[in-house]
């Protein structure tokens, strides 16, 4: 067993190893650009190799690593490690030739750190239109979990603490009394699974809440089709305020109405009362009210289903969201070549 003798030793060893491998691939493939995805453990080795071999580097950020670590309990936002990781992230963004970010929230945050707006390109989440489109429900799934004839409230995804599934169960405890035909379907797994099962048992909801565990990706579209409305009750924290999730886009592409908390990441994707219903984050009573109103109002649900599907088709299919890469690479090359020419003129 290898013991670390100084802070970040394991990370430094990893980056050195990755840099060696990147250089091997670069010398064989002869690329014009290096494209590194977050976290910075990927970006820093790419910058080392790019600087050594004269290749521009594009850095793509899907979330800030330090914020995810806070939610997972790795360290606190007030900690030295958080500040160090955040500082390295900012340094990498200054050194990279161009930066791709997931959403407007991340872009705005980097601008406050002094990164020029023209150096930032938004690369939104997208869905595969061939995979996520209205389809027939999975009748075997419906039968196995006794969902036939029920109003199914669903969540499909990872059970991270920030997803707010404990809040959803509290809200459903109220809905199950006012709408006895309702069922809560939780598809997936993760760190909250044991805690959620205990909460369900404590609230005497075992007959009304179905937890399937993780399922095959191929089954997901037909499970979406078996659900009446999807719910995304994320709590408000730095990560969720800045980052947009993928799952609401999948639901909209499937022609499903949804309820979501009014955090920054959701407001970028969902127009209240048009492509979904937004409720005040953390408020279980408002969540229950939104769920019940959407289940009872067929016309509202139908409107949201139609408008959500149209909006995703127009803005968030893979062909739309990936079309920005060509322009982004061109900007990176242009900036790199301009900087190289400037250095040459200065030296002469």
């Amino acid at each position: 067993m290898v013991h670390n003798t100084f802070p970040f030793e394991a990370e430094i060893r990893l980056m050195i190893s990755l840099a060696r491998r990147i250089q091997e691939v670069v010398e064989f493939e002869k690329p014009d650009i290096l494209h590194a995805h977050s976290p910075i453990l990927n970006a820093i080795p790419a910058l080392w190799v790019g600087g050594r071999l004269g290749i521009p580097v594009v850095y793509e950020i899907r979330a800030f690593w330090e914020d995810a670590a806070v939610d997972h309990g790795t360290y606190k936002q007030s900690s030295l490690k958080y500040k160090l990781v955040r500082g390295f992230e900012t340094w990498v963004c200054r050194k990279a030739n161009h930066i791709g970010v997931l959403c407007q929230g991340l872009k705005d945050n980097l601008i406050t750190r002094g990164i020029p707006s023209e150096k930032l390109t938004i690369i939104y989440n997208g869905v595969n239109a061939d995979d996520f489109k209205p389809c027939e429900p999975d009748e075997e799934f419906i039968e196995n979990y006794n969902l036939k004839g029920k109003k199914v409230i669903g969540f499909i995804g990872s059970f991270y603490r920030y997803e707010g599934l404990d809040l959803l169960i509290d809200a459903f405890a109220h809905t199950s009394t006012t709408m006895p035909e309702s069922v809560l379907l939780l598809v997936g797994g993760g760190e909250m699974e044991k805690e959620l099962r205990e909460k369900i048992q404590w609230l005497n909801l075992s007959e009304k809440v179905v937890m399937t565990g993780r399922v095959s990706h191929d089954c997901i579209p037909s499970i979406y089709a078996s659900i009446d409305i999807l719910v995304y009750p994320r709590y408000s924290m730095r990560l969720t305020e800045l980052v947009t999730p993928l799952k609401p886009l999948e639901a909209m592409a499937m022609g499903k109405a949804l309820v979501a908390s009014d955090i920054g990441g959701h407001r970028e994707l969902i127009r209240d009362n048009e492509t979904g219903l937004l409720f005040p984050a953390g408020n279980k009573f408002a969540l229950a009210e939104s769920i019940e109103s959407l289940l009872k109002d067929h016309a509202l649900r139908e409107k949201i289903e139609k408008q959500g599907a149209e909006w995703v088709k127009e803005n968030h299919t893979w062909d739309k969201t990936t079309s920005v890469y060509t322009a982004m690479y061109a900007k990176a090359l242009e900036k790199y070549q301009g900087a190289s020419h400037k250095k040459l003129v200065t030296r002469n």
Side-chain angles (χ1 to χ4, degrees):
M1 180 180 292
V2 177
H3 295 282
N4 298 332
T5 58
F6 57 86
F8 298 106
E9 180 179 356
E11 289 85 353
I12 291 170
R13 288 180 183 276
L14 178 65
M15 289 191 292
I16 290 172
S17 176
L18 180 56
R20 288 176 182 149
R21 181 57 183 148
I22 292 173
Q23 182 153 344
E24 289 175 1
V25 174
V26 165
E27 289 174 349
F28 181 80
E29 297 288 349
K30 312 294 184 188
D32 295 311
I33 289 177
L34 295 180
H35 185 148
H37 279 257
S38 54
I40 56 174
L41 296 182
N42 295 325
I44 292 174
L47 287 170
W48 287 344
V49 176
R52 189 182 306 134
L53 300 182
I55 304 172
V57 175
V58 167
Y59 179 40
E60 185 168 341
I61 302 172
R62 311 303 286 177
F64 292 133
W65 193 28
E66 64 272 22
D67 292 328
V70 168
D71 179 73
H72 297 155
T74 307
Y75 45 78
K76 295 182 179 179
Q77 192 168 329
S78 59
S79 68
L80 176 60
K81 190 167 185 179
Y82 178 93
K83 293 172 183 175
L84 283 171
V85 174
R86 177 182 165 87
F88 277 125
E89 186 89 68
T90 304
W91 177 84
V92 165
C93 289
R94 287 175 180 151
K95 293 295 182 182
N97 298 97
H98 201 81
I99 303 151
V101 291
L102 175 66
C103 55
Q104 189 67 44
L106 293 178
K107 180 176 180 178
D108 291 343
N109 183 269
L110 288 174
I111 289 172
T112 66
R113 302 193 204 182
I115 308 302
S117 176
E118 61 272 16
K119 192 179 178 179
L120 299 162
T121 295
I122 298 177
I123 306 163
Y124 292 107
N125 266 332
V127 295
N128 185 345
D130 293 328
D131 289 343
F132 292 96
K133 58 187 176 183
C135 65
E136 292 301 313
D138 184 336
E139 294 298 337
E140 183 178 352
F141 180 87
I142 290 172
E143 184 176 346
N144 287 344
Y145 290 105
N146 193 28
L147 303 178
K148 193 171 185 64
K150 306 290 179 62
K151 291 188 180 295
V152 183
I153 302 156
F155 173 89
I156 302 175
S158 297
F159 295 178
Y160 291 120
R161 191 164 299 278
Y162 60 74
E163 294 291 1
L165 298 182
D166 51 342
L167 182 80
L168 174 55
I169 291 170
D170 282 333
F172 178 72
H174 180 273
T175 299
S176 67
T177 61
T178 61
M179 304 186 73
E181 72 280 21
S182 62
V183 172
L184 177 60
L185 176 66
L186 303 177
V187 180
E191 62 186 45
M192 285 285 289
E193 187 168 348
K194 181 175 182 292
E195 188 176 325
L196 295 176
R197 289 187 185 278
E198 290 172 352
K199 188 178 190 67
I200 290 164
Q201 188 172 9
W202 184 73
L203 291 172
N204 296 317
L205 292 172
S206 298
E207 299 298 317
K208 303 284 289 180
V209 180
V210 176
M211 295 181 71
T212 67
R214 291 185 170 92
V215 299
S216 168
H217 183 268
D218 294 339
C219 300
I220 295 298
S222 61
I223 294 176
Y224 270 117
S226 308
I227 296 170
D228 291 294
I229 64 169
L230 278 296
V231 184
Y232 304 98
R234 285 187 162 191
Y235 288 118
S236 175
M237 58 176 294
R238 183 176 161 82
L239 176 70
T240 59
E241 291 290 346
L242 292 179
V243 177
T244 54
L246 174 62
K247 296 303 180 184
L249 295 178
E250 292 180 356
M252 285 189 268
M254 291 294 305
K256 292 295 173 178
L258 57 88
V259 173
S261 52
D262 64 348
I263 54 171
H266 285 153
R267 288 195 299 271
E268 274 199 54
L269 302 179
I270 302 161
R271 296 192 301 273
D272 188 31
N273 212 43
E274 293 181 30
T275 57
L277 293 186
L278 296 176
F279 72 94
N283 188 326
K284 65 181 180 182
F285 301 108
L287 172 54
E289 184 180 352
S290 296
I291 290 172
E292 291 164 28
S293 66
L294 201 52
L295 285 175
K296 292 173 181 176
D297 191 336
H298 181 74
L300 174 63
R301 189 163 75 249
E302 196 172 61
K303 180 188 80 167
I304 287 175
E305 289 170 349
K306 181 175 182 292
Q307 293 181 166
E310 290 174 350
W311 184 78
V312 169
K313 187 175 181 180
E314 291 171 5
N315 299 282
H316 284 275
T317 57
W318 278 358
D319 60 334
K320 300 280 187 181
T321 59
T322 60
S323 63
V324 300
Y325 279 112
T326 301
M328 183 175 73
Y329 292 149
K331 288 178 182 177
L333 281 168
E334 182 182 359
K335 181 169 183 177
Y336 182 80
Q337 290 164 355
S340 298
H341 177 71
K342 185 176 179 181
K343 285 180 182 176
L344 182 62
V345 171
T346 303
R347 285 172 186 167
N348 290 339

